[in-house]
């Protein structure tokens, strides 16, 4: 299993990928058969063919992620609070989110869950 330091590096690479608008680098953090639930109540995007287009769109939207506190670790997962600044329906918005990444033995993200809802969208 990945160490907390290795999981921290993945979280920072994820945030950095958004900052650089580099969808390929974000997608590369995931196992090929990973499950993405973003937001957590949405249908699963399972496998690279389903989640890659999602990340190409979101990373390409200009969304910027900022970590908002310490990462919280389990044996093979990490939860982290952050906010997203983006333009949503013509308005500058902020979305407060908590993501949970589950990792496989190779250190790739095997499952991602993003926790946020309508009350987490606020004007930026």
């Amino acid at each position: 299993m990945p160490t907390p330091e290795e999981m921290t590096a993945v979280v920072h690479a994820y945030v950095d990928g958004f900052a650089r608008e580099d969808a390929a680098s974000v997608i590369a953090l995931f196992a090929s058969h990973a499950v993405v639930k973003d937001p957590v109540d949405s249908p699963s995007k399972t496998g690279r063919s389903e989640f890659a287009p999602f990340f190409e769109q979101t990373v390409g939207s200009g969304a910027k992620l900022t970590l908002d506190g310490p990462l919280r670790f389990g044996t093979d997962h990490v939860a982290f609070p952050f906010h997203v600044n983006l333009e949503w329906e013509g308005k500058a918005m902020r979305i407060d989110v908590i993501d949970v990444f589950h990792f496989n033995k190779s250190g790739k993200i095997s499952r991602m869950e993003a926790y946020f809802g309508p009350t987490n969208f606020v004007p930026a």
Side-chain angles (χ1 to χ4, degrees), residues 21-101:
E21 295 188 30
D22 182 358
S25 72
V26 170
I27 293 164
L29 299 170
F30 289 79
S32 62
H33 297 292
V35 175
V36 173
K37 295 195 54 84
D38 189 347
V40 71
D41 293 329
S42 67
S44 296
K45 297 162 197 67
T46 303
R48 189 159 281 134
S49 65
E50 289 187 15
F51 66 74
F54 167 78
F55 283 114
E56 289 164 356
Q57 179 184 6
T58 57
V59 173
S61 73
K64 302 300 179 209
L65 283 54
T66 303
L67 294 173
D68 288 331
L71 281 58
R72 282 78 166 189
F73 300 95
T75 303
D76 64 350
H77 55 277
V78 61
F80 55 100
F82 65 99
H83 68 272
V84 180
N85 286 100
L86 75 159
E87 185 148 327
W88 184 263
E89 298 178 352
K91 298 178 186 167
M93 298 295 288
R94 172 186 168 127
I95 308 169
D96 293 308
V97 184
I98 295 174
D99 269 6
V100 178
F101 289 170

